[in-house]
Amino acid sequence: MATRSLSHVLGVSDSISGRAWLWRGGTMDLAGDTAGSHGLDHDILSQLLTTRGVAPDDVSRHANPTMREFLPDPSEFRDMDAAAERLAQAVLGREKVTIYGDYDVDGATSAALMIELLRELGLDANYYIPDRLLEGYGPSGEALVKLAENGSSLIVTVDCGAMAHEALTMARDAGVDVIVVDHHKCAAELPPTAALVNPNRLDENDLAASHGHLAAVGVAFLLGIALVRALRPHGYFDDRKEPNLMGLLDLVALGTVADVAALHGLNRAFVAQGLKILGRRERIGMAALMDASRLNRAPKASDLGFALGPRINAGGRIGESTLGVRLLTTRDPEEARAIAEQLSALNEERRAIEGEVQEAAEALLANQHNMAVHVLAGDGWHPGVIGIVAGRIKEKTGKPSIVIANDTDGTGKGSGRSISGVDLGAAIIAAREQGLLVAGGGHAMAAGLTIAAENLSAFTEFLDTRLARDVERARATQAMHLDLSLAPGGLTPDLVTTLDAAGPYGVGWPAPRVAVGPVRIVKADIVGKDHLRVIAAGDDGRSFKGIAFRAAETEMAQTLLHRSKGRRFHLAGRVKIDDWGPRPAAELHLEDAAFAD
């Protein structure tokens, strides 16, 4: 292995897409090693971990992230013990409990986790999932009061409630206890509750606050631990088996990845261990969902975000909001199969709707090229897909983006996605406090809002002023960060296995990128609707396949398609296994290219 002094990988300071290629941390150039001969598995694994923030003396703990090593004492979190004791009293007294969840994957998995845990404890809890279109995000005061009137003495909100002051005041006045389990940003003044468990409370201690990256389902899991512990002194398990908390980690993994929570620390342990549970296919609804996704192997973290999660989300976006919870808690295989197939059909419908809204939103971009934050609003846009479209716009432009679906009543529902280094959730909360929004909240990378039409211009200007410097700073540091440089012969299935060992990967724990070159383009064409496919050959006589998804119209694709003759290139991207052929091969999921000479 050679170590280079240059900060730019392969000397690329300006790629075809206009990015510098920089080493993520230490340099690792394997270009001189041939496939299977470098023997550097340990070195690669150690460097992948250290360049993602792991201290050199802590590599072994992070190489195999276990619950034992990363799980904090739940009692460190404010109100955790109060929440656990109130739930314990409900279990002991066989109270009527309702779990009030959000309509996305994090909400569905959080609700399912609480329902399944209480079921194992002998208490059948009800659930309530609001309709995205009719009720919107967060607890409705009217719904909470109605649940109380129907006999619920305890309501647990999951993935919502941290900012629901008015609704929770109505619940308190109706005489029902509410426990809030959330992870969204909080204001200094908290709503009235029996307990509010949220690592992003402003009054949290340092250890609890360091877990602010948890999804709500992760917080719910910690509450589950605290609940079991609270029941022990009451002798509750003298004649019954304690619930299998580890068996709930499949739900935690799915909710964590689908909610794009940062995969470091405890979240990596959640997902790593949860994937093992998922691989056993023990949960009937999860097995049906994998079958509907045509996933016939053990799932990876990426499958949770791109195959399973979108199907659960489709129910809340354009279908029936309860489908996800019903699927994840059913004990009936036939019901599970039917719901999973329904969610798959809804997901296909969602894709078509999303494409229409994205096309309309992109048509508005020309008028906003100087804006730090894109705020795009339109009539007739389906509010169930605006978050996805905001993410697409963000990826296309490299700027935070908010997409708003205007309603006929003069308000609009909006969803935003941000870039690293720009706290969109805090800006949305500030805009609400300035009176520019009817409602709004979120976290650093994602936020939601309701806005009156007459405030749209002022809101757009507010965001541009508040975030312009942060966006400029974040974009100035945007580059292609790479972990390895190698010759084509180094692209092997064994290398993929080595790179996978430092996973699971996701937000905050990026999958490794490699640079390969120099190569000549043997063949380049478009496959599917707009995917670029290339066959590249190196000076070492080895060739490989590369594919760039949804990239047909990019400058990179056009260059490789039409201007590659007689030129050599460096290619950069992520290495994956292509198992379509007679034997597995490594292929490059292409993200960028640069001229090599």
Side-chain angles (χ1 to χ4, degrees):
M1 177 180 64
T3 301
R4 297 186 174 187
S5 59
L6 293 175
S7 59
H8 293 112
V9 180
L10 298 172
V12 178
S13 59
D14 187 19
S15 71
I16 293 174
S17 67
R19 288 181 288 185
W21 291 4
L22 304 178
W23 292 108
R24 192 181 303 280
T27 60
M28 186 168 283
D29 181 0
L30 306 184
D33 297 299
T34 58
S37 68
H38 49 69
L40 295 171
D41 290 359
H42 177 74
D43 289 346
I44 293 175
L45 178 61
S46 296
Q47 178 155 305
L48 290 175
L49 295 172
T50 55
T51 54
R52 282 153 183 79
V54 177
D57 60 356
D58 203 20
V59 164
S60 61
R61 185 170 73 108
H62 287 266
N64 180 29
T66 64
M67 300 296 292
R68 181 186 298 275
E69 291 292 339
F70 288 93
L71 194 68
D73 182 349
S75 294
E76 289 286 343
F77 294 76
R78 288 195 180 275
D79 278 6
M80 182 69 80
D81 290 339
E85 187 57 40
R86 180 63 188 89
L87 266 172
Q89 292 302 320
V91 171
L92 294 166
R94 293 296 184 263
E95 296 181 43
K96 186 174 182 179
V97 177
T98 297
I99 310 300
Y100 193 116
D102 189 25
Y103 37 67
D104 69 359
V105 184
D106 193 15
T109 52
S110 298
L113 184 148
M114 296 303 303
I115 291 165
E116 288 285 271
L117 175 58
L118 291 172
R119 182 186 285 173
E120 287 194 52
L121 293 171
L123 183 67
D124 286 327
N126 300 317
Y127 60 83
Y128 186 93
I129 311 295
D131 185 280
R132 179 190 291 265
L133 301 184
L134 300 178
E135 298 176 83
Y137 170 77
S140 154
E142 291 77 9
L144 295 176
V145 170
K146 187 173 182 179
L147 291 172
E149 292 173 348
N150 289 336
S152 292
S153 56
L154 176 62
I155 300 170
V156 183
T157 73
V158 289
D159 196 30
C160 58
M163 298 291 291
H165 294 76
E166 181 179 350
L168 293 173
T169 298
M170 291 176 65
R172 179 198 62 190
D173 294 345
V176 62
D177 287 341
V178 179
I179 295 172
V180 171
V181 180
D182 205 352
H183 70 131
H184 294 98
K185 288 186 176 293
C186 294
E189 181 182 353
L190 299 175
T193 62
L196 194 157
V197 185
N198 185 338
N200 287 305
R201 286 176 56 150
L202 298 181
D203 58 350
E204 270 295 8
N205 65 57
D206 290 345
L207 187 149
S210 70
H211 290 83
H213 63 296
L214 296 182
V217 69
V219 182
F221 181 82
L222 295 178
L223 176 57
I225 296 173
L227 171 58
V228 171
R229 189 164 61 186
L231 285 168
R232 289 177 185 144
H234 295 281
Y236 195 71
F237 302 111
D238 290 350
D239 58 356
R240 73 165 58 231
K241 187 178 179 181
E242 289 196 7
N244 176 22
L245 292 170
M246 292 294 285
L248 299 170
L249 288 177
D250 59 337
L251 297 169
V252 181
L254 176 56
T256 296
V257 173
D259 209 53
V260 202
L263 291 191
H264 56 79
L266 179 58
N267 276 347
R268 282 192 72 234
F270 277 153
V271 175
Q273 302 308 316
L275 286 171
K276 296 177 183 177
I277 305 298
L278 279 162
R280 299 172 191 163
R281 300 172 65 93
E282 294 172 346
R283 192 176 306 281
I284 291 172
M286 206 75 87
L289 190 64
M290 286 188 271
D291 288 342
S293 305
R294 295 179 175 82
L295 193 61
N296 52 18
R297 52 167 172 73
K300 301 178 181 179
S302 57
D303 297 319
L304 308 188
F306 294 105
L308 306 186
R311 285 171 165 78
I312 296 287
N313 253 336
R317 291 187 184 280
I318 63 171
E320 183 184 339
S321 61
T322 62
L323 288 174
V325 175
R326 286 170 52 199
L327 174 68
L328 297 174
T329 57
T330 186
R331 300 288 174 87
D332 182 346
E334 282 305 309
E335 181 185 28
R337 182 190 58 77
I339 295 175
E341 289 180 356
Q342 184 179 358
L343 287 171
S344 285
L346 287 170
N347 193 47
E348 290 302 313
E349 183 181 348
R350 184 270 305 168
R351 287 179 177 174
I353 295 171
E354 173 196 327
E356 294 173 0
V357 175
Q358 183 173 342
E359 183 178 355
E362 288 186 356
L364 302 177
L365 282 173
N367 298 324
Q368 294 199 2
H369 64 279
N370 290 325
M371 303 295 291
V373 180
H374 293 302
V375 180
L376 308 167
D379 299 334
W381 294 356
H382 197 299
V385 302
I386 54 177
I388 302 174
V389 174
R392 301 278 192 215
I393 300 294
K394 182 260 293 188
E395 292 297 328
K396 181 182 182 73
T397 65
K399 295 180 180 181
S401 299
I402 296 173
V403 177
I404 299 172
N406 294 331
D407 204 341
T408 55
D409 64 359
T411 65
K413 294 288 195 306
S415 187
R417 299 293 183 268
S418 193
I419 61 177
S420 296
V422 180
D423 191 336
L424 185 60
I428 294 298
I429 291 174
R432 190 197 67 235
E433 292 172 346
Q434 290 286 322
L436 296 173
L437 299 175
V438 176
H443 47 79
M445 299 300 289
L449 59 92
T450 303
I451 186 170
E454 62 266 23
N455 288 334
L456 181 60
S457 178
F459 169 66
T460 302
E461 185 178 347
F462 173 86
L463 284 186
D464 193 61
T465 301
R466 179 183 174 93
L467 296 178
R469 184 171 297 178
D470 291 343
V471 172
E472 182 181 4
R473 186 182 303 114
R475 284 170 59 82
T477 59
Q478 284 182 351
M480 174 73 76
H481 289 94
L482 294 112
D483 297 275
L484 305 174
S485 170
L486 61 160
L491 288 179
T492 66
D494 287 343
L495 176 67
V496 179
T497 300
T498 300
L499 298 180
D500 285 348
Y505 297 106
V507 172
W509 197 269
R513 285 193 182 100
V514 305
V516 189
V519 300
R520 288 184 171 83
I521 304 303
V522 177
K523 179 181 179 181
D525 58 1
I526 299 298
V527 295
K529 183 179 179 181
D530 56 358
H531 309 314
L532 170 71
R533 178 178 61 185
V534 301
I535 303 298
D539 295 342
D540 60 356
R542 303 294 294 272
S543 62
F544 63 92
K545 182 176 74 175
I547 187 163
F549 295 102
R550 296 187 298 273
E553 300 303 319
T554 64
E555 180 66 21
M556 175 190 72
Q558 293 301 306
T559 298
L560 297 181
L561 284 166
H562 305 299
R563 298 188 292 277
S564 64
K565 188 175 182 179
R567 302 298 302 267
R568 297 200 306 168
F569 296 87
H570 299 305
L571 304 180
R574 294 186 164 105
V575 187
K576 303 290 183 180
I577 291 292
D578 175 13
D579 51 13
W580 283 97
R583 55 184 179 181
E587 66 179 15
L588 186 67
H589 285 199
L590 188 60
E591 297 179 74
D592 203 359
F595 292 110
D597 45 31

